[in-house]
Amino acid sequence: MASVVEYKGLKAGYYCGYCESREGKASCGMWAHSLTVQDYQDLIDRGWRRSGKYVYKPVMNRTCCPQYTIRCHPLQFQPSKSHKKVLKKMLKFLAKGEISKGNCEDEPMDSTMEDAVAGDFALINKLDIKCDLKTLSSDLKGSIESEEKMKEKSLKKEESKELIHPQAIEKLGSGEPSHSVKVHSGPKPGKGADLSKPPCRKAKEMRKERKRLKLMQQNSAGAFEGFQAQGQPASLLPKAKSNQPKSLEDLIFESLPENASHKLEVRVVRSTPPSPQFKATFQESYQVYKRYQMIIHKDPPDKPTVSQVRLVPASFEDPEFKSSFNQSLSLYTKYQVAIHQDSPIECGKTEFTRFLCSSPLEAEHPANGPECGYGSFHQQYWLDGKIIAVGVIDILPYCVSSVYLYYDPDYSFLSLGVYSALREIAFTRQLHEKTPQLSYYYMGFYIHSCPKMRYKGQYRPSDLLCPETYVWVPIEQCLPSLDISKYCRFNQDPQAVDEGRSKDPDRVRVLYRRCALPYGVYKKNHQEDPREEVAVLEYADLVGQKCSERMLLFRN
């Protein structure tokens, strides 16, 4: 198999739906007749993204709202407080039919950045844990000593002089018995604090200690075993099972009562080439999409005039395209019905198929890959026997890439945008068990200059792609720079360059008259227009050396 693409070049000066700039957007694009999953994996690792069979890459230093590729680490992901609320809301609905009061908007922005940071405290501060084990050991030792002192029946309040009690507790980290510890007996009334009792502590300090204990358990099993090896009785140490927070899978797949009000089932069906299951559910899935576009992305009532004509990218990542899609589809339908005598129903299905069902990705089933294989799929959410939501995803060699989600607006109260993202993260973890190299969840583009588009940064830990060197940088390191400038080079090494750049354009593979040949040969024997070389060099620079030598660039 070989990927075949047709480079369309730069499109600049068109309307941006994020900042409403009329001429601010700029991107390069190509039409993908076919793509191997490895080629598309390498393309998205250089900032490309597909919408149907159109693959595009924003010109980051020129476009008004830079779009940074973002990926999440599912294996280290811990749901935030607001994520847990969404999962619990779903469980309550399934178990008892309860519909939560309050905000029923299904936007991923339901979760706040503050909740995300707080919920991922363990992940952000792992280095602090390692550096603070000494302090933690001292605190644990103090707590254990205090408990032992309280158990000593020999401590009498009537004596005011100091007593010496040898302790049988070993020092943490040394394995040796501690020296004798001075224990003060209780003073007479009015003579001060009772030193035989644990000192009073602020609630804030106690919360911090509990959090540090929990983090120690989460950090690694080795830490817990280390404390036991140093002589601490297991009964005095925190119990990992009882105090360990629930995993994402525990929260999603929590058991329901036998008489549960509803039943939810998630099915993954291949969309390209369409599987029998996909074909059987196509009509129902399309009806959900149709309602979603009409109710969620409401069209403006008045028709655009000539002066309001806008050029927008054919991508559901673009809000202007999404908001005007239904009106554009209606116009297209009228045209097809009136001029070409097409059926209105079939016309709408054509556009739905073009953008959300058709994919350039070739289906692949390697022996060491996931059971479902690689390629494009629809993840269908079935509630009580009917589809209520569909997530469009690509399964690639190293990741699950989220393309789009549409859902039945009647179930907006379930926050299906957030819920589906969490299910896709859990799905990635499931695939990783069979295919270890598949360990990332790509969420498309992160747009920091547009506040309402920052929600993707809530799924931590996550990385942003450096737009110049194409290396991944933790999002926590990127945000301070993005607060200052909307376009940033995240790689802090000023000497670093794009290691995957095209170094020999003559080795670019082209497809000319059904023959595959190096561009150097094509240029020498067949190229007539000197301007063609500029486009080929631009294409090679954007896709990188590996893809330019594997993919076939169509030349006419």
Side-chain angles (χ1 to χ4, degrees):
M1 288 187 296
S3 302
V4 179
V5 298
E6 195 171 347
Y7 184 61
K8 297 297 183 181
L10 173 68
K11 303 293 181 185
Y14 57 91
Y15 180 79
C16 174
Y18 300 116
C19 66
E20 298 185 354
S21 168
R22 292 191 174 276
E23 299 179 346
K25 297 208 78 171
S27 67
C28 294
M30 58 187 177
W31 185 261
H33 296 275
S34 66
L35 277 179
T36 65
V37 290
Q38 185 60 60
D39 284 340
Y40 186 54
Q41 176 74 69
D42 291 340
L43 285 174
I44 62 176
D45 283 336
R46 292 184 64 83
W48 291 82
R49 182 158 173 80
R50 79 171 184 89
S51 176
K53 290 191 173 185
Y54 183 73
V55 189
Y56 64 100
K57 183 182 189 303
V59 182
M60 300 292 281
N61 59 354
R62 288 184 58 180
T63 191
C64 54
C65 295
Q67 299 162 266
Y68 299 92
T69 303
I70 182 172
R71 72 177 185 184
C72 173
H73 296 250
L75 305 185
Q76 292 80 36
F77 174 78
Q78 291 289 338
S80 69
K81 184 178 179 181
S82 54
H83 293 154
K84 292 177 182 177
K85 286 182 179 178
V86 171
L87 295 175
K88 290 178 180 177
K89 179 166 59 175
M90 175 64 80
L91 287 172
K92 287 182 179 179
F93 174 73
L94 295 176
K96 303 178 182 179
E98 291 184 9
I99 298 178
S100 300
K101 297 180 180 180
N103 184 14
C104 290
E105 297 277 337
D106 180 51
E107 291 295 334
M109 294 82 85
D110 286 348
S111 306
T112 63
M113 288 297 289
E114 290 75 18
D115 282 345
V117 173
D120 297 319
F121 185 87
L123 300 168
I124 297 171
N125 294 294
K126 275 190 175 180
L127 290 177
D128 294 339
I129 298 169
K130 294 178 181 177
C131 298
D132 203 32
L133 279 178
K134 193 171 183 180
T135 306
L136 179 58
S137 299
S138 301
D139 290 348
L140 274 175
K141 178 182 174 183
S143 299
I144 294 170
E145 288 177 346
S146 297
E147 291 179 8
E148 290 296 320
K149 291 175 185 177
M150 293 180 67
K151 292 178 180 178
E152 291 290 339
K153 295 181 180 180
S154 61
L155 293 177
K156 306 293 183 180
K157 289 187 178 182
E158 64 269 17
E159 296 179 5
S160 60
K161 63 181 181 178
E162 294 181 350
L163 300 176
I164 306 299
H165 290 273
Q167 302 296 309
I169 301 174
E170 297 176 357
K171 287 185 179 179
L172 292 176
S174 67
E176 300 176 358
S178 65
H179 296 293
S180 299
V181 181
K182 291 184 178 181
V183 181
H184 297 270
S185 63
K188 294 179 180 180
K191 297 296 184 180
D194 186 351
L195 298 181
S196 66
K197 295 182 178 180
C200 294
R201 304 174 63 189
K202 292 183 177 179
K204 184 177 181 180
E205 293 177 356
M206 296 174 69
R207 287 196 300 270
K208 284 184 177 180
E209 181 177 346
R210 285 197 297 270
K211 182 167 287 187
R212 295 215 309 266
L213 288 172
K214 183 180 292 186
L215 294 178
M216 181 189 68
Q217 296 170 37
Q218 296 174 3
N219 189 29
S220 67
F224 179 74
E225 294 170 0
F227 279 101
Q228 288 183 314
Q230 292 162 1
Q232 290 304 318
S235 60
L236 295 180
L237 293 173
K239 295 182 180 179
K241 285 187 177 180
S242 59
N243 294 330
Q244 189 172 4
K246 291 184 177 180
S247 68
L248 177 61
E249 288 76 12
D250 291 337
L251 293 168
I252 291 176
F253 302 110
E254 187 172 321
S255 59
L256 296 172
E258 293 184 2
N259 60 342
S261 299
H262 301 283
K263 179 183 178 181
L264 179 68
E265 181 183 1
V266 179
R267 304 176 189 173
V268 178
V269 298
R270 183 178 290 278
S271 56
T272 306
S275 65
Q277 296 87 348
F278 178 82
K279 292 179 180 178
T281 58
F282 178 85
Q283 179 63 32
E284 185 173 356
S285 180
Y286 167 65
Q287 292 302 324
V288 174
Y289 167 77
K290 188 176 178 181
R291 293 198 70 231
Y292 174 79
Q293 288 297 127
M294 292 177 61
I295 298 175
I296 301 300
H297 298 293
K298 298 180 175 66
D299 298 325
D302 49 345
K303 297 180 181 179
T305 63
V306 175
S307 62
Q308 293 174 318
V309 172
R310 298 169 179 168
L311 179 65
V312 298
S315 164
F316 282 104
E317 283 283 333
D318 188 272
E320 179 69 7
F321 178 80
K322 287 200 294 186
S323 64
S324 61
F325 178 82
N326 203 50
Q327 185 171 352
S328 178
L329 176 59
S330 298
L331 182 62
Y332 172 81
T333 302
K334 290 179 181 178
Y335 171 80
Q336 291 294 114
V337 172
I339 305 300
H340 299 291
Q341 285 76 49
D342 286 351
S343 162
I345 296 178
E346 292 303 318
C347 185
K349 288 180 181 177
T350 300
E351 294 306 303
F352 167 69
T353 302
R354 178 180 298 176
F355 290 104
L356 295 177
C357 303
S358 296
S359 168
L361 299 185
E362 299 288 344
E364 299 180 28
H365 298 270
N368 61 345
E371 292 184 7
C372 58
Y374 297 119
S376 297
F377 298 82
H378 279 195
Q379 195 167 38
Q380 301 173 338
Y381 295 79
W382 290 75
L383 181 68
D384 301 333
K386 72 173 184 176
I387 298 176
I388 64 166
V390 177
V392 183
I393 60 174
D394 294 329
I395 300 179
L396 304 175
Y398 304 119
C399 73
V400 169
S401 176
S402 177
V403 179
Y404 195 64
L405 172 81
Y406 56 93
Y407 57 87
D408 187 335
D410 289 346
Y411 296 92
S412 294
F413 63 88
L414 290 174
S415 300
L416 292 171
V418 179
Y419 183 78
S420 65
L422 297 173
R423 289 296 298 246
E424 287 171 6
I425 290 174
F427 181 55
T428 307
R429 288 156 67 139
Q430 177 187 339
L431 295 177
H432 171 79
E433 294 179 4
K434 170 71 165 57
T435 312
Q437 71 270 19
L438 202 163
S439 55
Y440 295 103
Y441 174 58
Y442 284 49
M443 298 176 281
F445 289 135
Y446 173 81
I447 307 169
H448 192 78
S449 58
C450 181
K452 68 178 181 180
M453 294 302 294
R454 296 180 183 179
Y455 65 87
K456 294 179 183 179
Q458 299 171 24
Y459 299 87
R460 307 269 185 108
S462 56
D463 306 318
L464 297 183
L465 187 67
C466 177
E468 295 182 11
T469 61
Y470 301 109
V471 297
W472 294 98
V473 181
I475 192 171
E476 294 86 356
Q477 299 178 23
C478 304
L479 295 181
S481 299
L482 289 173
D483 286 335
I484 299 172
S485 173
K486 61 184 179 181
Y487 173 74
C488 297
R489 170 193 167 105
F490 299 137
N491 193 329
Q492 297 301 311
D493 181 1
Q495 304 300 322
V497 296
D498 173 17
E499 298 294 342
R501 67 189 183 281
S502 176
K503 304 177 183 67
D504 188 359
D506 284 347
R507 296 177 62 182
V508 173
R509 294 185 73 198
V510 301
L511 180 65
Y512 178 69
R513 293 184 177 177
R514 299 186 180 182
C515 293
L517 62 159
Y519 174 65
V521 175
Y522 169 81
K523 178 174 62 174
K524 183 178 179 180
N525 300 317
H526 306 289
Q527 183 170 286
E528 298 178 357
D529 188 348
R531 293 175 299 178
E532 189 176 357
E533 184 172 5
V534 176
V536 173
L537 294 178
E538 182 180 76
Y539 157 82
D541 182 62
L542 293 173
V543 302
Q545 188 72 22
K546 289 191 296 185
C547 283
S548 69
E549 293 182 13
R550 289 197 306 253
M551 300 193 305
L552 295 175
L553 176 63
F554 178 77
R555 310 314 296 160
N556 189 350

